[in-house]
């Protein structure tokens, strides 16, 4: 065959091999988009009014007022930080056995299925929904928030850690096994060194998430800085609310930098 | 002495990797196992220490029937079999010393190993062996900072730390340059001879196998098709192991490449005979 003719005729292979299926998928997606847009009812007049209202709402946040309710802010902040630290520590510790059980290359099938189920349950429900349950069980306050976050941490950490364990280099673990090491020694010598950097990085990231979530959980009565924010909004003290938001942003930023630094350091 | 009888391995996928392999390796003998990729070389040595569970057959090391051991007894038996790996299989984030000491894991309890509180005699032996392979200046370097040849030397020391009776060596030179390959092979042979260890060495490089092993076993599709001294390896034998190919070039390459003349004369003679 003539190479030039072949080169001119050559096209990269399409994502979906069968032409009819390809056009059906594209056409179907387009049709769905058109129909979906058709069902949206947008009240443009209301939206125009809303922009102005939104502007006034935002303007009320300025200037931020740190001073007049500083005691409350400080209290909420300390509560949130306590909640974050304890829930991260408990959640991370509890996530390790779940992660080991959820790694297919370590656990037998029944244990694997059970641990994956635990992870799925923890990840299915949004923190706020779990928090409502725990507030009902333990009453208003940071205890409910702490338990909620610890529970959510288990699902998050265990899933990502289990995936990292499944991705380890098998030969390194095999070499440790070949020395006559016990199962726990295999974990400590063959697996832990391989997953430790990611484990630390994930813990730092989860700390950051837990702090952000602790601000949301206050809205359903689970204590912390979110409670302070909620009260401020209820009392139309937008200056105080702005101060709380700024503090949350500052702390999340600090967490972000810190976790980036930690991850680089442990590589 | 290692005795393998009727060893068979069928993987869950249905592939028959080993088909009734019987083999005896006396104490102090270095045996090279050659054969094409997929012939079952790796499976064979992994069935010996049961990193891969054999389907049928028996493996005996001395008086111990390894194929009948329970978990705990198997771990004790593994201490007697040092393994050296393709691509080294060091735990990369651990230091050279930690990797070497991991050879003692079968002998110390969990907490001692967790806190790295190994017996003084073990650490002393580790320093002695590292000095022997010329790595005593890299004790606290991380394993991933080493070159290929250095890593494999750490792998050898790790295996020897087990104080084994048998070395299982899986493609020790697969990712090394020709010169380093020879140095590593020479080191393995020397150390095996010093300690009177039996060794099974899987190796792709026929020339290296001829050069360093006294006995060669050829595996093809899970069966032994050749078992004899290195001198008996002729182009006809290579054809039964690997299939039709012009083998004279393979054999001549050794003559060209190795100038240090430390090989046994019998091997030299055999290669010349084979090249004709």
């Amino acid at each position: 065959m003539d190479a030039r003719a072949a080169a001119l005729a050559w096209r990269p292979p399409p994502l979906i091999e069968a032409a009819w299926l390809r056009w059906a998928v594209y056409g179907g997606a387009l049709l769905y988009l058109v129909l979906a847009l058709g069902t949206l009812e947008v009240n443009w007049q209301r939206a125009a009014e809303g922009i102005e209202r939104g502007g006034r709402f935002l303007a009320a946040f300025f200037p931020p007022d740190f001073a007049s309710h500083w005691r409350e802010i400080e209290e909420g902040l300390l509560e949130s930080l306590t909640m974050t630290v304890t829930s991260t520590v408990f959640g991370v510790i509890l996530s390790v056995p779940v992660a080991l059980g959820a790694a297919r290359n370590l656990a037998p099938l029944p244990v694997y299925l059970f641990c994956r189920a635990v992870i799925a349950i923890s990840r299915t429900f949004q923190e706020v929904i779990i928090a409502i349950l725990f507030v009902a069980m333990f009453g208003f306050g940071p205890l409910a928030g702490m338990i909620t976050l610890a529970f959510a941490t288990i699902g998050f950490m265990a899933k990502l850690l289990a995936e990292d364990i499944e991705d380890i280099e098998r030969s390194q673990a095999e070499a440790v096994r070949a020395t006559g090491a016990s199962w726990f020694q295999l974990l400590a010598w063959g697996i832990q060194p391989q997953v430790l950097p990611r484990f630390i990085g994930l813990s730092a990231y989860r700390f950051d998430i837990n702090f952000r979530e602790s601000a949301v959980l206050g809205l359903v009565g689970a204590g912390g800085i979110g409670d302070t924010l909620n009260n401020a909004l209820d009392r139309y003290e937008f200056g105080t609310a702005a101060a709380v938001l700024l503090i949350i942003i500052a702390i999340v930023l600090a967490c972000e930098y810190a976790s980036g630094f930690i991850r680089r350091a442990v590589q | 002495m290692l005795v393998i009888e009727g060893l068979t391995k069928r993987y869950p996928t249905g592939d028959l990797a080993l088909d009734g392999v019987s083999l005896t390796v006396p104490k102090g003998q270095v045996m090279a196992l050659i054969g094409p990729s997929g012939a079952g070389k790796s499976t064979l040595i992994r069935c010996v220490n049961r990193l891969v569970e054999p389907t049928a057959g028996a493996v005996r090391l001395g008086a111990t029937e390894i194929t009948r051991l329970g978990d705990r007894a198997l771990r004790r038996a593994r201490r007697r079999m040092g393994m050296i790996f393709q691509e080294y299989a060091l735990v990369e984030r651990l230091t050279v010393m930690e990797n070497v000491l991991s050879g003692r894991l079968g002998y110390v309890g969990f907490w001692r190993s967790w806190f790295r509180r190994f017996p003084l005699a073990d650490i002393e032996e580790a320093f002695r062996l590292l000095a022997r392979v010329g790595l005593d200046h890299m004790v606290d370097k991380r394993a991933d900072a080493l070159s290929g040849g250095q890593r494999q030397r750490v792998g050898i020391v790790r295996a020897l730390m087990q104080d084994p009776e048998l070395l299982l060596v899986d493609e020790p030179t697969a990712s090394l340059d020709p010169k380093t390959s020879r140095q590593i092979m020479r080191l393995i042979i020397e150390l095996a001879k010093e300690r009177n260890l039996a060794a099974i060495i899987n190796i792709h490089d026929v020339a290296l196998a001829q050069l360093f092993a006294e006995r060669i076993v050829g595996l093809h599709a899970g069966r032994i098709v050749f078992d004899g001294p290195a001198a008996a390896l002729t182009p006809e034998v290579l054809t039964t192991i690997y299939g039709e190919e012009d083998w004279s070039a393979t054999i001549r390459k050794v003559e060209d490449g190795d100038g240090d003349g430390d090989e046994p004369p019998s091997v030299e003679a055999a290669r010349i005979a084979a090249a004709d």
Side-chain angles (χ1 to χ4, degrees):
Chain A
M1 195 172 57
D2 180 23
R4 186 167 174 80
L8 285 170
W10 184 80
R11 298 282 176 276
L15 187 63
I16 302 168
E17 190 77 55
W20 66 270
L21 182 64
R22 185 162 69 242
W23 290 113
V25 169
Y26 294 163
L30 190 69
L31 186 70
Y32 182 82
L33 182 69
V34 171
L35 290 178
L37 284 176
T39 62
L40 282 180
E41 287 174 26
V42 185
N43 184 342
W44 293 108
Q45 205 184 342
R46 174 67 185 75
E49 276 174 39
I51 286 174
E52 198 202 317
R53 248 187 257 186
R56 256 185 287 143
F57 185 72
L58 282 180
F61 278 101
F62 289 95
D65 176 9
F66 288 88
S68 40
H69 293 283
W70 178 247
R71 300 271 336 201
E72 275 174 59
I73 295 176
E74 194 185 13
E75 203 177 300
L77 204 60
L78 278 177
E79 212 168 79
S80 262
L81 283 174
T82 312
M83 217 194 301
T84 308
V85 172
T86 50
S87 66
T88 307
V89 169
F90 284 129
V92 165
I93 290 172
L94 291 173
S95 74
V96 171
V98 181
L100 293 174
R104 192 64 196 98
N105 51 351
L106 285 182
L109 190 63
V111 177
Y112 170 80
L113 292 175
F114 175 76
C115 289
R116 285 282 164 175
V118 171
I119 292 174
I121 292 169
S122 160
R123 283 165 41 80
T124 302
F125 299 106
Q126 229 285 324
E127 277 87 341
V128 172
I129 296 171
I130 304 172
I132 292 171
L133 173 73
F134 283 132
V135 167
M137 281 169 71
F138 300 103
F140 290 107
L143 178 65
M146 195 273 276
I147 295 172
T148 304
L149 291 177
F151 183 69
T153 302
I154 293 173
F156 175 91
M157 287 290 295
K159 182 183 169 65
L160 295 174
L161 189 59
E163 267 151 33
D164 206 39
I165 293 173
E166 286 174 348
D167 285 342
I168 59 160
E169 239 186 86
R170 275 189 47 202
S171 64
Q172 297 182 22
E174 196 183 37
V176 173
R177 228 150 53 90
T179 64
S182 66
W183 193 77
F184 283 105
Q185 284 175 329
L186 171 69
L187 290 186
W189 287 74
I191 295 179
Q192 189 241 53
Q194 292 195 59
V195 302
L196 191 64
R198 184 149 167 80
F199 177 72
I200 292 172
L202 283 173
S203 304
Y205 180 42
R206 187 63 215 188
F207 182 89
D208 172 336
I209 296 178
N210 279 349
F211 182 78
R212 275 184 285 140
E213 289 295 338
S214 80
V216 177
L217 295 185
L219 301 180
V220 293
I225 189 84
D227 231 2
T228 318
L229 180 64
N230 201 22
N231 289 338
L233 288 172
D234 282 348
R235 294 190 303 239
Y236 301 107
E237 290 162 354
F238 293 117
T240 304
V244 170
L245 287 176
L246 285 176
I247 289 171
I248 292 174
I249 291 171
I251 291 180
V252 169
L253 259 185
C255 289
E256 181 72 36
Y257 294 146
S259 77
F261 177 78
I262 290 169
R263 263 177 294 177
R264 267 195 307 281
V266 294
Q267 246 325 302
Chain B
M1 183 158 88
L2 176 75
V3 180
I4 299 173
E5 273 170 10
L7 197 65
T8 299
K9 172 64 187 179
R10 186 182 287 282
Y11 282 104
T13 51
D15 299 326
L16 189 63
L18 293 176
D19 187 6
V21 171
S22 297
L23 199 62
T24 300
V25 188
K27 213 170 164 53
Q29 185 182 70
V30 173
M31 188 202 97
L33 190 61
I34 63 172
S37 303
K41 305 191 295 292
S42 281
T43 304
L44 178 58
I45 66 167
R46 281 173 171 72
C47 280
V48 170
N49 64 2
R50 281 174 60 193
L51 286 178
V52 169
E53 211 54 62
T55 315
V59 175
R60 278 196 303 277
L61 181 63
T64 319
E65 185 156 356
I66 290 167
T67 33
R68 306 181 78 168
L69 299 177
D71 271 0
R72 181 177 285 269
L74 173 61
R75 286 205 305 272
R76 297 180 79 82
R78 276 183 183 153
R79 306 191 303 201
R80 298 159 59 196
M81 300 178 277
M83 197 161 176
I84 298 169
F85 294 81
Q86 183 176 6
E87 312 266 337
Y88 336 118
L90 301 181
V91 182
E92 303 219 326
R93 286 204 178 83
L94 297 182
T95 63
V96 167
M97 184 49 106
E98 284 174 311
N99 268 292
V100 166
L101 287 173
S102 73
R104 298 301 294 175
L105 284 177
Y107 294 89
V108 301
F110 175 77
W111 289 112
R112 282 196 89 155
S113 73
W114 175 264
F115 290 111
R116 311 300 194 247
R117 312 252 323 154
F118 287 84
L120 196 64
D122 290 358
I123 301 172
E124 201 183 318
E125 175 71 358
F127 272 106
R128 208 175 294 128
L129 279 167
L130 282 171
R132 172 78 174 72
V133 302
L135 287 175
D136 46 345
H137 59 294
M138 304 196 102
V139 169
D140 289 322
K141 278 252 168 36
R142 237 167 70 157
D144 53 8
L146 270 55
S147 73
Q150 291 172 331
R151 287 187 204 199
Q152 194 55 293
R153 282 185 272 163
V154 175
I156 292 168
V157 172
R158 172 174 66 187
L160 291 176
M161 282 298 288
Q162 286 175 233
D163 196 14
E165 297 160 38
L166 168 71
L167 285 179
L168 301 168
V169 190
D170 191 16
E171 303 282 2
T173 62
S175 34
L176 298 174
D177 66 63
K179 181 165 187 256
T180 314
S181 293
R182 276 147 207 265
Q183 291 171 338
I184 289 293
M185 281 300 286
R186 193 171 296 126
L187 186 61
I188 293 174
I189 307 294
E190 267 176 29
L191 288 165
K193 289 291 168 204
E194 263 170 38
R195 296 163 170 245
N196 200 24
L197 307 181
I200 301 182
I201 306 181
N202 283 354
I203 189 154
H204 260 305
D205 191 328
V206 176
L208 275 184
Q210 270 182 304
L211 194 54
F212 288 105
E214 51 205 277
R215 174 183 176 197
I216 292 185
V217 170
L219 210 57
H220 181 88
R223 290 165 177 273
I224 293 181
V225 293
F226 172 78
D227 185 351
L233 205 62
T234 60
E236 292 72 45
V237 169
L238 287 176
T239 298
T240 40
I241 300 173
Y242 290 97
E244 197 66 54
E245 183 54 71
D246 178 10
W247 296 111
S248 57
T250 309
I251 293 166
R252 183 163 301 132
K253 206 156 54 188
V254 185
E255 285 173 337
D256 294 342
D258 198 80
D260 26 10
D262 56 353
E263 60 212 86
S266 63
V267 177
E268 185 78 59
R271 271 205 326 276
I272 293 165
D276 291 336

